[in-house]
Amino acid sequence: MMRHDSDETRIPRFDRAFFSSENTFTRIGGGKLGGKTEGLLSIKATLEDIQTDGAFGPIRVAIPRLTVLATDVFDAFMERNRLREVALSGQPDERIAHAFQHADVPSEVLGDLRGLIENVHTPLAVRSSSLLEDALGRPFAGVYETKMIPNNQPDPGTRFHRLVEAIRLIYASTFFRDARAYRRVAGVGDEDEKMAVIIQEVVGERHGDRFYPHLSLVCRSFNYYPTGRARPDQGVVSLALGLGKTIVDGGVCWSYCPAYPTAPPPYGSVSQLLKESQTRFWAVNMGPPSGYDPIAETEYLLDCDLADAEYDGTLKHLVSTYDPASDRLVPGMGSDGPRVLNFASILQFNDIPVNPAVRRLLEACEKTLDAKVEIELALALPGSAGDSPRLGFLQVRPMVAPETAVEIKPEEMSGPRVLIASDRAMGNGTVECIRDVVYTRPSAFEARSTRVMASQIEKVNLGLLQEGCPYLLIGFGRWGSSDPWLGIPVTWSQVSGAKAMVEASLPSMNVEPSQGSHFFHNLSSFEVSYFTVGQGVGGGTIDWERLEAQEVIAETGFLRHVRFSEPLKIRVDGRTGRGIVEVPPSLAPPLPQEKATHS
């Protein structure tokens, strides 16, 4: 029997009149609400107060209507279906997911779920809210699944089954490979984790077979990669057309400092910007599904082209148009030509005061959580006269920002001991326990083979984890990108033993670094140093010859694993963004004057 605890005093029971109820934040079942829900609950009153003060101008800011299946529902689901053995078996994710899809959701909550579906016909996001998610110091960002369902089938029975399938997938993801690896690195047992599930309306508008927000935002109050005049403590915002999956999966998006929204982007030319700005976006599929696959997170999503958005009429405030005669971008869509998602109308002309709202939200969330924060938002623009822009507040989580002081002076960035140097390093602190280096060989790198590289890295990572050897990982392009043409698409579990990572560039793989993804949030949470070398603003060096000269432990067509005879010293200065990897003095070549002295 599921119990109901004191959390009910903070959040009311679910009302089956979902959209007409005065309660926008409700619960089903008892137990705990999970970290993601607690984060939203902690900021709910603050948002209401700010909205009342008129600080957001014409923009309506609120948490989209939601209900939460609390952790007692999860406990009952696991126990009654006897799923603990398969959940902890270490089987592939697909096997676990299929086992969970054949299990029954507790009968006590079926009436509420059916009641919700009877009254709601718009898309729903079914999201994880585990006990460990968004906790200060070890936030489990992006470790568990989120599933969007269109919820537009004429038959309520079909809509109900799709909702239950999504809930089962979220429960199953509690025991997927990435989640188990994350908990292992965090020193948390599988038995300590429990899953609550958020069922929430999706912010956006329908355009034929596509439903999506005009704009998704991931906003951080601390920026590990500041450029120009920006300081780390002034934050960074990543923008993308469509669902936020583009940003959190490490795809192509637009980033800027909220203190300088009109600052030019770090591109060398308009042609480079045309080539490297966002051209695809995600939407919920409101049309016929492409196929039945209840264990796929993207079952009801569409990967769309910029031309689709232009057809939908959603680009008015988001793009500029390239004028080849003047070789420049003209804000808006006043002429024919290639469209570029640079959000000029919003950032340069403040036609919709999104950036002031973002700055106010970051300030308020920092004060409420007493920490640097990351927030996720979705913006739906007016579809008719008299409507107001709607900014949905989807998530807030604490960030791990530098506290201890590590100073790296400019003159330390070169010298006989320097193996790697970067003036765009993420993290803060010193590591002196690494002897192993795993790197993708520059001469063998091929963008078309990045998935193979990810698989090979996974095997090396597993071996080093079993040996208890932390390591330095070097590759080309973005680590953790979902797009294999932007870098090596590793997941957290495939690199969980790395204590430091380097993102280098080649002529064939030279993209701007990304820090809007959950992958990056997890790296910073575990204090994994992250170096960017030779990309965009800045530069840096890697001593490939010295790496090649080390003892080879293992080698594949794409990778080489070498081991130094003594530990390396890795330092990152979080205030300046400088980072260096040094070999010990005994392994450094003597300086010219030292050679002369000994001759």
Side-chain angles (χ1 to χ4, degrees):
M1 190 73 178
M2 291 183 296
R3 62 183 176 80
H4 300 277
D5 63 16
S6 59
D7 275 338
E8 283 198 67
T9 63
R10 298 186 299 138
I11 176 171
R13 292 284 305 277
F14 172 71
D15 185 337
R16 296 186 183 185
F18 188 65
F19 273 109
S20 58
S21 169
E22 64 178 15
N23 295 318
T24 62
F25 205 121
T26 59
R27 66 181 289 133
I28 297 174
K32 301 299 182 182
L33 303 174
K36 196 173 294 182
T37 308
E38 291 288 357
L40 291 174
L41 196 57
S42 70
I43 204 69
K44 182 174 182 290
T46 300
L47 295 179
E48 293 169 351
D49 290 343
I50 301 174
Q51 185 73 64
T52 302
D53 292 343
F56 299 129
I59 299 177
R60 293 180 292 121
V61 180
I63 298 169
R65 191 175 291 262
L66 64 86
T67 192
V68 185
L69 282 176
T71 57
D72 271 10
V73 183
F74 173 76
D75 287 339
F77 177 80
M78 295 294 296
E79 292 167 9
R80 296 177 191 179
N81 293 286
R82 299 179 181 178
L83 288 168
R84 188 66 58 179
E85 182 177 350
V86 67
L88 301 178
S89 65
Q91 292 186 40
D93 295 352
E94 294 80 6
R95 292 262 186 105
I96 294 173
H98 279 300
F100 275 59
Q101 286 299 329
H102 287 92
D104 295 324
V105 172
S107 58
E108 298 96 315
V109 303
L110 295 181
D112 283 339
L113 295 177
R114 182 70 184 227
L116 188 158
I117 285 299
E118 292 278 1
N119 292 285
V120 179
H121 300 265
T122 58
L124 295 171
V126 185
R127 310 168 63 204
S128 64
S129 181
S130 81
L131 294 183
L132 300 174
E133 277 185 287
D134 300 351
L136 182 62
R138 287 290 184 266
F140 278 41
V143 173
Y144 305 118
E145 301 289 283
T146 291
K147 186 147 186 174
M148 306 280 188
I149 56 175
N151 194 40
N152 66 331
Q153 296 90 346
D155 174 29
T158 301
R159 300 202 306 276
F160 171 73
H161 285 298
R162 298 295 88 84
L163 173 61
V164 171
E165 286 171 350
I167 292 169
R168 291 185 185 124
L169 177 62
I170 307 307
Y171 282 162
S173 71
T174 312
F175 305 100
F176 283 177
R177 181 184 61 179
D178 278 1
R180 297 195 308 268
Y182 198 105
R183 288 193 291 267
R184 183 169 59 247
V185 174
V188 176
D190 291 330
E191 66 280 358
D192 295 327
E193 181 66 302
K194 293 184 179 183
M195 182 65 70
V197 176
I198 297 173
I199 304 170
Q200 187 171 38
E201 61 167 319
V202 178
V203 175
E205 299 289 337
R206 182 170 182 174
H207 308 277
D209 287 346
R210 294 179 285 271
F211 187 104
Y212 57 96
H214 291 76
L215 187 63
S216 288
L217 308 89
V218 174
C219 317
R220 291 179 157 190
S221 61
F222 188 87
N223 182 8
Y224 285 102
Y225 295 141
T227 60
R229 294 176 293 168
R231 301 191 313 268
D233 60 357
Q234 290 175 321
V236 62
V237 179
S238 296
L239 307 177
L241 166 69
L243 298 173
K245 180 176 174 63
T246 298
I247 303 174
V248 299
D249 281 1
V252 176
C253 57
W254 186 271
S255 295
Y256 76 95
C257 174
Y260 304 103
T262 63
Y267 294 103
S269 64
V270 174
S271 62
Q272 184 186 9
L273 193 155
L274 281 165
K275 184 173 67 174
E276 297 186 13
S277 58
Q278 182 187 2
T279 58
R280 305 197 66 80
F281 67 98
W282 289 98
V284 180
N285 182 11
M286 306 299 288
S290 58
Y292 178 67
D293 191 358
I295 68 171
E297 190 180 39
T298 57
E299 181 183 11
Y300 299 110
L301 297 187
L302 292 173
D303 182 9
C304 308
D305 187 82
L306 205 58
D308 296 323
E310 183 156 2
Y311 178 83
D312 295 339
T314 56
L315 296 182
K316 176 182 176 182
H317 296 283
L318 310 181
V319 300
S320 293
T321 302
Y322 177 62
D323 177 14
S326 61
D327 190 32
R328 67 186 183 94
L329 294 176
V330 180
M333 304 174 64
S335 60
D336 293 332
R339 311 299 188 192
V340 178
L341 276 166
N342 65 348
F343 309 97
S345 176
I346 292 174
L347 298 181
Q348 295 182 26
F349 302 108
N350 203 35
D351 288 350
I352 302 168
V354 173
N355 189 61
V358 164
R359 297 186 68 174
R360 184 71 179 89
L361 286 170
L362 286 173
E363 177 187 352
C365 290
E366 274 196 343
K367 184 176 180 180
T368 301
L369 271 65
D370 193 26
K372 297 295 182 182
V373 296
E374 177 180 287
I375 59 178
E376 295 183 23
L377 310 167
L379 177 73
L381 296 178
S384 59
D387 289 345
S388 299
R390 181 190 180 197
L391 190 61
F393 191 102
L394 306 180
Q395 190 165 348
V396 58
R397 62 170 70 91
M399 287 182 65
V400 177
E403 294 182 358
T404 57
V406 174
E407 183 180 10
I408 299 177
K409 299 177 180 178
E411 57 268 24
E412 297 181 75
M413 299 290 283
S414 61
R417 291 184 56 191
V418 174
L419 178 68
I420 299 170
S422 169
D423 52 16
R424 299 193 74 182
M426 182 183 81
N428 189 78
T430 302
V431 177
E432 298 183 87
C433 61
I434 291 177
R435 293 173 54 209
D436 293 86
V437 180
V438 179
Y439 62 94
T440 52
R441 299 164 57 207
S443 60
F445 185 86
E446 296 177 343
R448 64 183 179 181
S449 301
T450 53
R451 293 192 189 278
V452 177
M453 296 176 203
S455 178
Q456 293 179 355
I457 289 168
E458 180 180 18
K459 293 179 181 178
V460 176
N461 178 76
L462 179 60
L464 287 169
L465 276 174
Q466 292 173 344
E467 294 179 37
C469 297
Y471 66 96
L472 167 65
L473 180 61
I474 306 173
F476 300 102
R478 295 178 183 171
W479 286 111
S481 172
S482 61
D483 185 343
W485 294 95
L486 294 178
I488 303 177
V490 292
T491 62
W492 169 256
S493 64
Q494 291 174 312
V495 296
S496 57
K499 192 62 178 174
M501 299 177 68
V502 178
E503 177 179 306
S505 67
L506 288 172
S508 60
M509 181 59 73
N510 187 16
V511 297
E512 275 296 303
S514 168
Q515 60 171 321
S517 69
H518 286 146
F519 183 83
F520 271 77
H521 193 97
N522 291 333
L523 290 179
S524 62
S525 299
F526 281 113
E527 300 178 356
V528 177
S529 302
Y530 197 94
F531 293 70
T532 302
V533 177
Q535 293 176 260
V537 178
T541 58
I542 299 176
D543 190 340
W544 293 107
E545 290 186 6
R546 184 173 293 179
L547 283 172
E548 295 282 337
Q550 303 308 309
E551 176 191 5
V552 178
I553 304 301
E555 191 168 3
T556 70
F558 297 109
L559 300 181
R560 178 175 279 131
H561 170 199
V562 300
R563 179 168 292 160
F564 283 77
S565 58
E566 297 179 47
L568 303 170
K569 185 174 184 178
I570 301 173
R571 291 190 291 148
V572 177
D573 183 340
R575 297 166 301 174
T576 64
R578 299 189 188 108
I580 56 175
V581 180
E582 299 171 297
V583 300
S586 60
L587 299 182
L591 293 171
Q593 59 267 33
E594 293 175 325
K595 291 181 180 179
T597 302
H598 293 290
S599 62

